[in-house]
Amino acid sequence: MKPNPARAPRGHVPDAWALVLILFASLSLHAQSIVVRDAETKEPLPWATLEGLPSGRSAVADERGRVPRDLFSQDDSLRVRNLGYQTRTVALLPPVANPGNTIIALMRDARPMTELVVAASRWEQSSGNSPAKVLTVDARDIALRNPQTAADLLGASGQVFVQKSQLGGGSPMIRGFSTNRVLLVVDGVRMNNAIFRSGNLQNVISIDPLSVEQAEVVFGPGSVRYGSDAIGGVMAFRTEDPRYSSSGFQAGATLFARGALANQEKTGHGALRLSGERWASLTSFTYTDYADQIMGSNGPDDYLRPEYQTVIDGMDTVVENPNPKKQVASGYRQMNVLQKLRFQVDSAVELNYAFQHGNTGDVPRYDRLVRPRGETLRSAEWYYGPQIWTQHRLGLESRHATGFYDALKTTVAFQHFEESRIDRDLNDPLRTKRFEEVDAFTVNIDARKDLGFGHRLDYGLEGVENWVRSRGLDENIDFGEEMPAAARYPDARWSSYAAYAGWAWDGAERWHLEAGARYNRIRVDAEFDTALFPLPFDRVQNDYGAVTGQAGLVWRPGAWTFRAAGGSAFRAPNVDDIGKVFDSEPGSVVVPNAGLQAEYAWNAELGLARSFGDAVRVDLTGYRTWLQSALVRRNFTLDGQDSIFYDGELSAVQAIQNAAQARVYGFQAAVEARLPAGFGVVARWSYQDGVEELDDGTEAPLRHAAPWFAHGEISYRGNRWRVALIGQYHAEVAAEDMPPSEVSKDYLYAADADGEPFSPSWYRLDLRFTWQATDALRLSGGIENLTDRRYLPYSSGIAGAGFNPTLALRYVI
């Protein structure tokens, strides 16, 4: 009766690829180049734009910041631009006067409005023109922090709390909301599907952080632009785009390797870039292997793993763990593939295609594996099967101005999701298996029209179709027999069709006003197989509309910036809400509810910021959100019964219901300072608190309102180095402040002096660096958890890594 071990996705990089890279790289060499660098760190600046004056010739730097010198006239001066840097114009010396490479150094622009974001409006705009608070994490931040997963990428920002039930997990919590009340977007396409649940999710780890060019988080409601689920915020990931060549055919490649001690990470990544003047291609591949994670040495003993389950002589056996800090059965493997193509049809029309694929091996559900039953462990095995995500995306962008639009984007996407969960109790021959597949088809049409005098109109249409398939099997491992079992979901179709419009006005560079509205029509059609699980109905149909709106302003008098925003958001019941049959926890079973409606949230937000020259910036945001008709799990009756037998256990009947109200409020504060000699200081603080209504009308702490947390760092930039000492602090959640759903999982928490479960405060110190050894070679790494703290973030099921040296090498060809 051996548990199913973690399986690795298969795949390898052909040996011939290395020869292809060398051949293509040789074709892209030039005798003389212009190299654009960061003036402080001397790092090359890829994708900087250069314009020759007066010739008007233009070019874009490659991955190593290079542009062929012969693209420009000998009489030209060069105007050089790069996002986040001051524009610079320099005279271009003739080759005789400067026989080597021409180096152009750009200074960072300290002004707060230099970041360009897309997620706030679905169009590129300055972050300073967004009434909502927006977080951006760019490629340089990602390189310094070296996140293992896309969830870690968000958590390392110091502004998003991330919960983990297992090592292969990561469920972001934003302003008191999580899971299916926050929205994931990848390259403009919504990732949330019809089986995103209210319990903690790990879908974000399907995104490859090594392919992400910029991540953005729009805090607060985003339903006007994105529809259902965008209550707490929108997390938008923009993966790297291939760039056109300025001088005929070019080729280049990136090779990357990383290792870490605490979970013995082994990551390999390769990317191949090919381009011409009207076409471009990017291919990348990433493979990662994680062993069992080692927790820290200094902290509560409650988190230790003193024993674990295994199989000895064909029998389930619980044995002593020789290293209780080792979280046995937490490792997993993952593979990611990305392919992007761009084609310039004419000067104003572009066609682009993207293929993305993420595939884990089996992922052990660590928090379930440590769940006790009496004096022993409950489960012999509990793991998620391979989590598979595939996205095909075809886009057409036109800037041919017409009477209806000046710019138009059309995006058609198809996504395929596969999930499964397999578990078996200790010394029980019955292994339960549940398999789910979702096919998602999305169409987005977004248009923008300049109305004159600073006025602008954005409008668009969206259509989303999800098809859900689910099946269940029970396997007797003693006899090797499988039999049909109740599926987790019905076979179902979830549809959403919407239209939105937004108006904006920019006046005299001091004012920005905007407002928008959206109408959504949602339909759910689910058919139940009542042969294995008797229900009083065999079909559920829901069809209803949802209206949301928002408005906001930005006012910039001198060195001050004031923001105000208000709006509504909604979450439409999906198949997970309406049709799921599953055991939410031991002794409880959730059954379908045919009468669900959408839940709505109203949000108000105020922000102010003050800049003190280019050296210091202070930012403060306060918000409050009201959630009504909240979709929550409550006790229920099925055919008049409040308890039924499910998987052989008498279980209380529960269902998702529009049964509660919730309130959340909070503050976000930040101070950023640029000090002399390349030093800098950043301090951030996030506070959120919320309550929800219980069955009896009383209120309790909101489960997804994380404890307050702070982030601080001291950094240095100079002479090819970037170094940062980073500290995190997470506050305690006392026993009396624990949500009821967390109290029921007391085995995951530490015990206070009275023996009650609570979440202790904790801190972590990290030292991180990048060193640009040459224009082609960069080393990065550091030491995470310098003081080897033993900690477990609130609501999580697995302790964080202990003392953890990391090292990564990146080479650009």
Side-chain angles (χ1 to χ4, degrees), residues 101 203 206 319 364 458 462 489 559 609 642:
N101 288 338
N203 296 74
S206 293
V319 300
D458 295 340
E462 180 183 68
Y489 300 113
D642 60 7

Side-chain angles (χ1 to χ4, degrees), residues 92-132:
L92 186 59
L93 297 177
V96 175
N98 181 22
N101 288 338
T102 299
I103 308 299
I104 300 177
L106 299 184
M107 293 293 297
R108 283 191 302 156
D109 194 335
R111 293 176 299 173
M113 293 178 55
T114 57
E115 293 177 328
L116 292 181
V117 296
V118 174
S121 66
R122 302 187 69 94
W123 293 92
E124 199 170 77
Q125 69 176 65
S126 167
S127 59
N129 279 343
S130 172

Side-chain angles (χ1 to χ4, degrees), residues 380-538:
E381 53 185 297
W382 212 122
Y383 61 93
Y384 292 110
Q387 178 176 287
I388 298 173
W389 168 64
T390 301
Q391 182 194 86
H392 297 270
R393 175 189 177 278
L394 183 65
L396 181 67
E397 298 185 19
S398 172
R399 296 194 178 271
H400 282 300
T402 71
F404 296 100
Y405 61 83
D406 297 320
L408 180 71
K409 294 190 295 187
T410 302
T411 304
V412 179
F414 172 80
Q415 298 179 94
H416 177 74
F417 303 84
E418 290 186 28
E419 300 176 4
S420 58
R421 60 206 70 218
I422 296 91
D423 72 281
R424 183 174 62 83
D425 285 348
L426 197 72
N427 295 314
D428 187 338
L430 187 66
R431 177 185 289 148
T432 64
K433 302 178 180 180
R434 300 295 182 266
F435 305 90
E436 292 85 45
E437 295 184 43
V438 179
D439 289 330
F441 182 73
T442 307
V443 177
N444 288 95
I445 301 174
D446 300 292
R448 168 163 283 189
K449 181 65 179 176
D450 186 352
L451 303 177
F453 303 101
H455 296 269
R456 185 183 68 243
L457 177 66
D458 295 340
Y459 60 96
L461 302 172
E462 180 183 68
V464 180
E465 291 280 358
N466 281 199
W467 293 271
V468 178
R469 299 178 299 279
S470 183
R471 62 190 177 94
L473 292 174
D474 287 342
E475 177 188 5
N476 187 310
I477 62 173
D478 284 345
F479 300 102
E481 296 177 348
E482 288 187 340
M483 61 197 76
R488 183 177 172 88
Y489 300 113
D491 289 346
R493 178 180 177 182
W494 185 90
S495 307
S496 170
Y497 290 88
Y500 77 89
W503 161 86
W505 174 68
D506 293 298
E509 296 186 359
R510 290 194 172 195
W511 286 93
H512 173 85
L513 304 177
E514 64 179 50
R518 179 188 185 101
Y519 177 75
N520 239 103
R521 195 76 191 175
I522 299 99
R523 179 179 173 83
V524 183
D525 190 348
E527 294 186 0
F528 294 87
D529 182 356
T530 58
L532 294 170
F533 194 92
L535 294 170
F537 48 82
D538 58 10

